[in-house]
Amino acid sequence: MRWRCVFSNILCVAMCLMVGCGSPKEGRNTDPNTLRFAHSETGGTIKDTYDEICAEFERLHPGVRVIQIAIEDEVYQDLGLVKLFAGGNPPDVFFQWGGWLVQRDYAAGRAADLTEYLEKDGWKDEFYDYVWPWTEVDGRIYMIPNTVGITTILWYNVDLLNTLQADVPETWQEFVEVCRKAKEAGLIPITAGNNDKWVLGNWGAHIISRVAGEDLYKQTLNLAPGTKFACPDFIQGLKLLQELQQSGFFNPGVIGLTDEEGQMTFRTGEALFHPIGSWVLDYWINEVPELHFDFINTPRIPGGKGNQESILGVISGFMMYKDCPRKELAIRFLRYFHSAESQRRLVESSGVFTAVKAAMEGELEPHLAKMRDLAESTPVLVPPGDTGFRTDVARHFYDAINSVVGGLSTPEEALERCDRRIERLRAHDALGLSGGKKP
Amino acid sequence: MSETSASRPFQFSLPALGLYAFLIAVSAAMFFPLIWMTYSSFKATSYEIMLNPWGLPKDWDLSRIAAQYAYTWTKGNIGTYVWNSVAVTFATLIIVLVCSSMAAYAFSRLWFPGRDTIFTIFLIGLIIPTEAFLIPLFLEFRELNLLDTRWCLILAYSGTALPLSIYILRAFMVNLPRDLDESAIIDGCTSWGVFGRIIVPLITPALATVGIFTALGAWNEFLLALIFIESESLKTLPLGLLAFYGYHKVEYHYLLCGLTITTIPMIAIYLIFQRQIVEGLTAGALKE
Amino acid sequence: MRQRTVPFRGWVTPVLFVLPAFVLFAGTVLLPTIGTGVCSFMEIRTGLGWQWVGLWNYTDALFRDDVFLLSIANNFGYLFATLIVEVLFGLVVALIVNMRYPGFHLFRVLFFTPMMLSLVVVGLIWKFVYHPMYGILNQLLRSAGFENLMWPWLAHPYTALPAVCVVSGWIYAGFYMMLFYAGLQRIPVSLVESARIDGASEFQCIRHVNIPLLREVMAVCILICSTGAFRAFDLFYVMTPDGGPDHYSEMVATWLVREAFDFDHLGYGSALAVIMTALVFLLTLIYQIYQYRREVIEF
C-alpha cells in the first residue's frame, strides 16, 4: 500500500509544478521595471524589427524588461484586447487604430492622456500634422501615432499591364475596360481573399464613400438618426462591385479564400489587380523580389459625390494604459520606439509608412515614397469601416459587401438586410447602456 | 466489447465481397485526408502543395523534413501548446478522479440528508451544454482574476467532467459486493479507510474509463479555452493550432506539419489502447 | 427504510466526501447556469456595468434577430443531416460489421479513429479538402474532367452547411457504430440462430430481429445526436468563421459567442444560451416521455 501513497504524492507535486510553473499569465506584473507591450505584429520582418528595438531598449536601460504580447490583428481588435484588460493584468502600452477605437478605449477608461508628454520638448512636431485628429478625444491626445496605414490601394502587376498594352487606369470606366481585356487574355483581373470580410469590405467602403460622399458615409456608419444603408448612393456604390462580380472579374472562390491565399495568384503573376492595404509592401519586397508591381488609388468614379482623390486610410499607434504604474518608463519606451532611428529601422526593413517625419526622409523604397506623397497630397483620409467605426456596425456592413461580391444577393437585398440588423443595434443602444455611444 | 462469438469462416460469395468492397471504400475515403495530410507535410514548399495537391513529395530529404518539423515544433510554438495541454489535462484528470471517486463512494455507500437530491442535481449536469454557463463563468473568473490562467481551464474542465464521472463510478460501486467494506468496518476501519484501502483498488477499471473520457475531453476542448485564454504561452493545443493556422495561412507545409504532429500520436495512442478508449468514450451513453 | 435521524457525526464524513466535487460542480457549472438565467434579463457591457432590461433580450432574439432565427433553422438542418450521416450511417456500418467476416473487427477499430482528434484539427484538415482552389476535392473533380463542377464548398450558401455535416459524419459515424455494435452484442445469439433455423435470410434476420431489438440504443443515439447538434460550435467556428457565407452556416452557439464576446452583448448572449438550453432540455424531455411510455406499454 505504501507505493501507492508515494505515487499519489508524486502525482500531486507534479501537478502543482506543471500548473504553477510556465509562468501563469507570464507573471502578474508588479515589477516596476517590466513593461508589457501589446501589439498585433505576429510575424514577418516587422515583428523581427520590433524584437530588435525592444532588445536595444533593454540594453540601453539595464534591468528593464519589455514583454511583448503579440495577438493576431483579426482577434486583437475585439476579443483580444478586451480580454487582456478583463484578465486583470493589462498591458502598459498597447497598439490601437486611431479614430473610433481610441474613443472606445477612452470611454472604457483604459486610455491615459498623453497630451502633456507630447508637448514637452517639441515631441509633437516630429510627427506629420495630418495624423492628430485620429488620436484625439475632446482635444486631448490619447495615442502616439505610429503608422499611416493606407487601408486599400489597387496593386497591379506592371508586366501584365504592359503585355495587355493598357494604360494605368484613372477612371472607373478605364479600370473596368482593363479588367475586361485581362479577362479576355485569360488572366484573373482582380484577385482577393475575402473570407475574413475586411479585404473587399474595405474596398467596398471606399467605393461607397466616393459615390455617396464622405459625410453621408460617416454619418451612416455612425448610425446618425435618419440614415439608412439601403439608400440610393450606397446601392449605387455596391452596384459597381456587383458589375465586377457579374462580369466574372474576381478570382474563383473569392469569398472562400483568406487574404493571403487571395494574394497567391497575384504573387505568381496570374492576376492583374489586387486590392489590399499598403502593409503588404513589406512582404513583397522581402519575399517575392522578382515581382514587378506598382499601385494606384481606387480609380475616380465620375458623378460620385465624394472627393475622388480621397484615400482610405487609418492612423494607428500606441496608447498607454490609464492606471499603468510605470508611466515614466512607458513614455521613455514610447519615445525610444518613435525616435527617428527606431522608426527608420522599420521603414528600411519592412517598408512601414511611419508617422515620424524624419524617418520618412531621404532614400526611400520607391513605392513607399509614392505612398508618402499620396498621403501628403490627399485632401481627405477616409476611415475604413472596421477600424473607423463600431465593430458590430462594421461587421453587418461588411457582410453586405461580402454578399454582393460573392454574388449571393443584390446590393438592394444585402443593404436592406444590413439595415434590419442595424435596427437591432439602434434599439439596443436606446436601452441606455451602450459601448457604442460617444463619451 | 467481448468477442462473444468468433468470426465466421470466410466463404466466397458475392454479397460478402460486396461488403468487403464497401467497407474498404469507406475506410479509404475516411483515411485519405489523414494520409494526404501526412505525406503532403513532407513537401518542401507550399507551392509544391498548391501546384500538385495529389502528388507525392518531390524529394524525401530526411534532414529537410526533420528541419521542417523542428521549425513547426519550436518556432510554431507547437511544443508550448502541447505542454500546456498536457499540464491542463493532467491536473484535470487528477482532480476529477479524486473528487468523483470520493463523491461516488458517498452516493453509493453512505447516507447524509439530501443525498439523493444532490445526486439528481449532478445528473442534471449531464445534459447542461457548455454554452449554458459560459458567460457567467467568464464573468466569475474575471472577478476572481483567474481569466487567462491555467487554473480557469482546469476548474472548468473538472466541473464539466464531474457529473458523468460520478454517474459511472457510482453505477460501478453499487454493483460491488458490500461484504468487504462491511467486514472492514467491523474491524474498526473508518469510511476514509474503507474508501482508500478497499474501494479504490476495486474500481480501477471504472477509473480508467472515467480517466479516458476526462483526459480526451480536456485535451480536445476548444470553446472554453477560446474564451478564457489569451496569452500565447498558455494556449492549449486546439487553440494554439488555430492561432498557428492564423500565422501561417499560406505556409501550408508548416501548417500540415503542425496538424500531423498533433494527429499521428493520437492515432497511435488509440491503436494501442483502442479497447479501453472505445469503452471510455462510449461509456455512459448506453447506461443512461 | 433508512433511519432519518442520524447523529451529527454520522453524516459529517459523507458530506466531506461529496463536498469537493459539489463545490467544484456548483462553482463552475451549476451556479453559472443559474447565473445565465439572471444575466439574460440584463444588459451587460464590459466596463460599463449592468442594467435590468426585463424580457427585452428575448423579444429581441425571437422577433428582430434574423441571424438568430436563421441559426436555429440551420441547427435543425444540421440535426437532421447528422441523424442521417452519423446515426443512420453508423447503424448501417454496425450491422455490416456485426456479420463478422474475418477482418471486420479491424474496420470497426478503424472507423472509430476520428473520435480521438480534436474538432479543431479535423476542421483544419477538412478545410484543405474543401479548399476552393487547391483542395483535394476540387482537384479530384478537375482531374476527373469535371472542371465545371469545381466549387467553393465552404463559401457558398448551398454547400457550406452540408459540407460541414459531412465532416461531422466523418467524425461521429464511428462513435454511433460502436454504440450500435455494443447494442448488437447484447442480443442473445440464440435468438438470431433460431430465426435462421426457421429459414430467415440474413436480411430478414436484421430486419426482424436485430433492428427491433436495437430500438432502445437507437433512442439513446438520437438523443445524443440531437442534443449534440445544438451544442455544435468547434467545427463551424473553424471551418466557416463568421457564420459562413451570409450566415448560412451560423449555429446558435457560434452566433452566441459572436454576440456575447465580439459585440460585447453578454446579456443578450445569455438569453440565447437560455433558449438553446431550453431546446436541449426539451429534446431530453421528449426522450424521457418516450422511455416512460414505452415502459408503461411493455409492462
Side-chain angles (χ1 to χ4, degrees):
Chain A
M1 209 51 68
R2 173 153 299 166
W3 67 269
R4 186 168 278 135
C5 252
V6 174
F7 183 62
S8 61
N9 281 341
I10 292 172
L11 276 185
C12 288
V13 172
M15 184 187 107
C16 294
L17 281 178
M18 287 171 98
V19 177
C21 77
S23 61
K25 314 191 59 158
E26 290 158 331
R28 227 163 258 286
N29 191 9
T30 47
D31 179 3
N33 285 323
T34 301
L35 193 74
R36 284 164 58 86
F37 170 39
H39 58 79
S40 67
E41 298 300 342
T42 48
T45 50
I46 300 191
K47 173 79 169 81
D48 297 340
T49 315
Y50 273 32
D51 290 345
E52 282 168 27
I53 295 174
C54 290
E56 188 71 4
F57 182 73
E58 284 174 356
R59 205 179 55 77
L60 289 174
H61 299 82
V64 170
R65 252 183 88 212
V66 180
I67 297 180
Q68 296 185 63
I69 310 162
I71 303 172
E72 212 202 335
D73 50 5
E74 276 140 38
V75 183
Y76 188 90
Q77 196 180 342
D78 314 323
L79 206 47
L81 196 62
V82 169
K83 259 197 285 178
L84 273 186
F85 283 101
N89 194 11
D92 301 306
V93 172
F94 58 100
F95 169 84
Q96 194 54 284
W97 289 274
W100 184 74
L101 285 160
V102 170
Q103 290 168 14
R104 181 194 74 176
D105 285 342
Y106 168 76
R110 292 177 204 138
D113 188 343
L114 301 169
T115 322
E116 284 167 32
Y117 302 106
L118 277 160
E119 277 164 1
K120 226 192 276 172
D121 26 278
W123 189 16
K124 201 177 165 183
D125 302 330
E126 293 174 15
F127 299 91
Y128 285 110
D129 288 334
Y130 57 83
V131 300
W132 298 113
W134 297 77
T135 64
E136 292 172 352
V137 183
D138 298 334
R140 309 291 293 174
I141 298 171
Y142 292 91
M143 182 179 86
I144 308 290
N146 175 264
T147 309
V148 181
I150 303 183
T151 318
T152 304
I153 36 184
L154 273 173
W155 298 91
Y156 65 91
N157 187 318
V158 177
D159 296 334
L160 288 183
L161 201 69
N162 289 341
T163 2
L164 290 175
Q165 294 177 326
D167 292 328
V168 177
E170 303 220 323
T171 66
W172 191 264
Q173 276 75 14
E174 286 170 21
F175 170 66
V176 171
E177 224 22 71
V178 174
C179 285
R180 184 153 296 130
K181 264 192 189 167
K183 177 94 185 159
E184 278 158 12
L187 297 169
I188 299 171
I190 308 167
T191 186
N194 205 37
N195 198 35
D196 298 313
K197 301 193 171 123
W198 55 263
V199 176
L200 292 175
N202 283 337
W203 195 37
H206 194 198
I207 293 170
I208 286 175
S209 79
R210 287 276 185 86
V211 174
E214 297 82 26
D215 290 338
L216 182 62
Y217 165 77
K218 282 187 201 163
Q219 282 162 10
T220 311
L221 270 104
N222 278 326
L223 308 190
T227 54
K228 263 180 120 44
F229 282 80
C231 62
D233 287 336
F234 274 52
I235 291 171
Q236 196 53 43
L238 279 192
K239 279 215 166 122
L240 295 175
L241 278 178
Q242 191 193 22
E243 188 196 329
L244 299 181
Q245 189 271 328
Q246 286 174 341
S247 319
F249 290 167
F250 289 114
N251 52 326
V254 54
I255 58 170
L257 297 170
T258 59
D259 52 333
E260 292 177 23
E261 286 171 340
Q263 263 171 45
M264 274 311 203
T265 44
F266 187 76
R267 268 191 245 164
T268 53
E270 297 164 68
L272 182 58
F273 289 106
H274 180 49
I276 204 160
S278 54
W279 56 84
V280 290
L281 184 61
D282 153 39
Y283 193 75
W284 290 349
I285 32 188
N286 287 310
E287 306 268 327
V288 254
E290 70 279 5
L291 189 67
H292 191 193
F293 59 90
D294 202 351
F295 70 88
I296 50 171
N297 197 356
T298 303
R300 281 195 284 276
I301 300 165
K305 294 175 191 156
N307 187 311
Q308 298 305 318
E309 306 298 330
S310 71
I311 58 174
L312 189 75
V314 64
I315 310 294
S316 54
F318 294 95
M319 301 177 69
M320 189 164 75
Y321 180 48
K322 196 179 177 189
D323 301 325
C324 159
R326 37 198 156 253
K327 286 208 168 100
E328 284 310 317
L329 180 67
I331 288 295
R332 234 183 303 149
F333 175 72
L334 282 172
R335 280 207 81 148
Y336 182 75
F337 195 86
H338 290 88
S339 65
E341 299 77 54
S342 305
Q343 289 301 313
R344 186 68 196 182
R345 256 190 207 188
L346 279 167
V347 170
E348 278 170 3
S349 72
S350 329
V352 167
F353 182 174
T354 172
V356 178
K357 274 189 280 190
M360 289 296 282
E361 280 156 11
E363 188 88 2
L364 267 192
E365 204 275 334
H367 299 98
L368 197 56
K370 192 173 163 188
M371 277 177 208
R372 178 193 59 193
D373 299 342
L374 183 66
E376 264 177 309
S377 67
T378 189
V380 189
L381 198 58
V382 179
D386 57 352
T387 48
F389 304 94
R390 282 171 56 168
T391 0
D392 39 7
V393 175
R395 293 261 188 196
H396 294 315
F397 181 44
Y398 281 17
D399 268 354
I401 296 175
N402 184 59
S403 188
V404 171
V405 170
L408 310 179
S409 39
T410 65
E412 289 87 349
E413 286 165 5
L415 286 169
E416 270 158 23
R417 206 178 314 127
C418 176
D419 265 330
R420 280 202 299 279
R421 290 173 190 165
I422 297 291
E423 208 44 54
R424 274 190 59 228
L425 295 180
R426 287 181 204 262
H428 220 114
D429 294 350
L431 285 175
L433 251 188
S434 162
K437 240 188 233 158
K438 290 270 153 56
Chain B
M1 300 294 135
S2 58
E3 303 292 328
T4 44
S5 59
S7 54
R8 68 169 78 171
F10 180 70
Q11 300 155 317
F12 251 111
S13 67
L14 215 52
L17 275 182
L19 292 179
Y20 272 105
F22 175 75
L23 290 181
I24 289 172
V26 170
S27 44
M30 245 184 82
F31 276 88
F32 188 71
L34 296 176
I35 296 166
W36 177 84
M37 170 189 81
T38 312
Y39 77 72
S40 295
S41 75
F42 300 148
K43 291 182 178 174
T45 59
S46 52
Y47 284 99
E48 203 183 330
I49 297 171
M50 280 185 289
L51 296 179
N52 185 12
W54 284 84
L56 290 171
K58 266 187 243 153
D59 70 302
W60 291 84
D61 181 358
L62 282 181
S63 61
R64 187 211 14 102
I65 293 170
Q68 208 158 300
Y69 272 84
Y71 176 90
T72 314
W73 184 262
T74 52
K75 270 274 194 171
N77 261 342
I78 300 284
T80 317
Y81 304 145
V82 169
W83 167 246
N84 286 330
S85 272
V86 168
V88 169
T89 306
F90 192 66
T92 307
L93 192 61
I94 290 176
I95 293 179
V96 168
L97 289 182
V98 171
C99 293
S100 64
S101 55
M102 276 166 57
Y105 173 67
F107 284 131
S108 65
R109 290 288 207 273
L110 309 172
W111 188 86
F112 56 92
R115 185 189 74 166
D116 296 344
T117 323
I118 290 182
F119 185 64
T120 316
I121 290 174
F122 272 109
L123 285 190
I124 293 173
L126 284 174
I127 50 169
I128 296 180
T130 314
E131 290 84 354
F133 51 84
L134 179 64
I135 292 167
L137 195 59
F138 171 79
L139 295 171
E140 182 185 325
F141 282 146
R142 195 172 72 188
E143 288 308 306
L144 297 173
N145 260 337
L146 277 176
L147 276 189
D148 207 14
T149 63
R150 284 197 188 122
W151 281 111
C152 68
L153 288 188
I154 294 167
L155 292 176
Y157 293 170
S158 311
T160 43
L162 276 174
L164 188 54
S165 314
I166 291 178
Y167 178 74
I168 289 173
L169 290 176
R170 178 182 172 275
F172 194 85
M173 285 187 203
V174 165
N175 290 329
L176 287 179
R178 279 166 175 270
D179 319 350
L180 272 176
D181 40 315
E182 268 161 21
S183 59
I185 287 171
I186 292 165
D187 289 347
C189 217
T190 61
S191 300
W192 302 98
V194 173
F195 173 71
R197 302 236 169 91
I198 294 168
I199 300 290
V200 170
L202 284 176
I203 58 167
T204 327
L207 283 180
T209 308
V210 167
I212 283 167
F213 76 72
T214 308
L216 270 177
W219 185 266
N220 288 336
E221 206 283 336
F222 174 62
L223 175 56
L224 291 170
L226 175 76
I227 303 297
F228 294 157
I229 297 293
E230 191 51 58
S231 306
E232 193 62 28
S233 61
L234 291 175
K235 280 180 177 165
T236 55
L237 200 47
L239 195 58
L241 270 176
L242 199 62
F244 183 69
Y245 169 73
Y247 306 149
H248 299 268
K249 274 178 203 156
V250 286
E251 289 158 299
Y252 296 137
H253 51 309
Y254 289 136
L255 188 53
L256 289 171
C257 283
L259 291 174
T260 309
I261 294 180
T262 49
T263 309
I264 300 300
M266 291 305 276
I267 295 178
I269 291 173
Y270 167 68
L271 292 180
I272 296 168
F273 298 106
Q274 50 97 0
R275 194 160 292 199
Q276 291 84 343
I277 287 173
V278 169
E279 184 116 344
L281 287 182
T282 51
L286 287 180
K287 291 172 185 153
E288 267 177 42
Chain C
M1 203 56 216
R2 268 190 199 86
Q3 54 187 95
R4 285 281 138 177
T5 48
V6 181
F8 179 70
R9 288 177 56 85
W11 55 263
V12 166
T13 315
V15 166
L16 285 181
F17 267 101
V18 177
L19 204 60
F22 189 73
V23 168
L24 200 51
F25 176 70
T28 54
V29 178
L30 195 60
L31 293 179
T33 306
I34 297 166
T36 305
V38 179
C39 289
S40 68
F41 299 107
M42 306 270 207
E43 158 90 337
I44 305 166
R45 290 237 156 162
T46 325
L48 287 172
W50 303 51
Q51 185 186 331
W52 182 268
V53 292
L55 286 173
W56 197 88
N57 286 327
Y58 289 97
T59 51
D60 193 30
L62 295 172
F63 300 112
R64 284 190 291 273
D65 191 349
D66 64 319
V67 181
F68 173 64
L69 298 178
L70 181 63
S71 75
I72 290 210
N74 289 339
N75 248 327
F76 275 104
Y78 178 65
L79 195 165
F80 290 118
T82 49
L83 281 180
I84 293 168
V85 295
E86 294 176 5
V87 179
L88 195 62
F89 192 67
L91 174 64
V92 170
V93 176
L95 288 171
I96 292 175
V97 168
N98 193 41
M99 290 181 186
R100 299 208 187 85
Y101 285 106
F104 271 24
H105 68 278
L106 198 70
F107 290 109
R108 203 181 71 218
V109 172
L110 285 181
F111 288 150
F112 195 76
T113 319
M115 280 295 289
M116 288 294 286
L117 305 179
S118 122
L119 291 174
V120 174
V121 173
V122 173
L124 289 176
I125 294 174
W126 278 83
K127 266 183 108 122
F128 277 106
V129 177
Y130 288 131
H131 196 286
M133 296 180 84
Y134 319 113
I136 47 182
L137 184 56
N138 275 341
Q139 292 296 331
L140 180 69
L141 288 173
R142 174 188 266 175
S143 42
F146 299 108
E147 197 142 341
N148 51 342
L149 283 182
M150 284 173 71
W151 190 260
W153 301 99
L154 291 173
H156 197 281
Y158 295 163
T159 50
L161 186 57
V164 183
C165 292
V166 169
V167 182
S168 191
W170 185 79
I171 303 165
Y172 290 111
F175 174 71
Y176 292 102
M177 176 206 69
M178 280 296 180
L179 292 186
F180 283 121
Y181 185 78
L184 285 168
Q185 297 301 97
R186 290 188 193 170
I187 297 173
V189 183
S190 57
L191 219 61
V192 185
E193 292 295 310
S194 64
R196 204 164 277 147
I197 288 165
D198 291 346
S201 70
E202 188 92 19
F203 180 75
Q204 282 170 324
C205 278
I206 290 173
R207 170 73 188 77
H208 296 289
V209 181
N210 285 347
I211 290 185
L213 288 173
L214 278 180
R215 226 174 30 189
E216 198 181 334
V217 185
M218 180 70 104
V220 174
C221 288
I222 291 174
L223 175 75
I224 299 175
C225 181
S226 47
T227 53
F230 277 95
R231 302 171 186 205
F233 175 82
D234 302 11
L235 264 190
F236 289 90
Y237 186 86
V238 174
M239 294 186 70
T240 58
D242 290 344
D246 270 5
H247 298 280
Y248 270 91
S249 61
E250 191 80 73
M251 291 285 115
V252 176
T254 51
W255 184 239
L256 184 159
V257 168
R258 153 107 335 138
E259 276 277 347
F261 295 99
D262 285 359
F263 297 167
D264 200 14
H265 295 159
L266 291 172
Y268 183 72
S270 302
L272 298 191
V274 169
I275 296 173
M276 182 181 142
T277 315
L279 282 170
V280 170
F281 273 61
L282 189 71
L283 290 170
T284 316
L285 193 70
I286 293 173
Y287 168 78
Q288 296 288 358
I289 291 171
Y290 165 79
Q291 284 291 18
Y292 174 76
R293 281 189 47 180
R294 216 171 54 106
E295 273 160 30
V296 169
I297 292 165
E298 280 183 8
F299 300 104

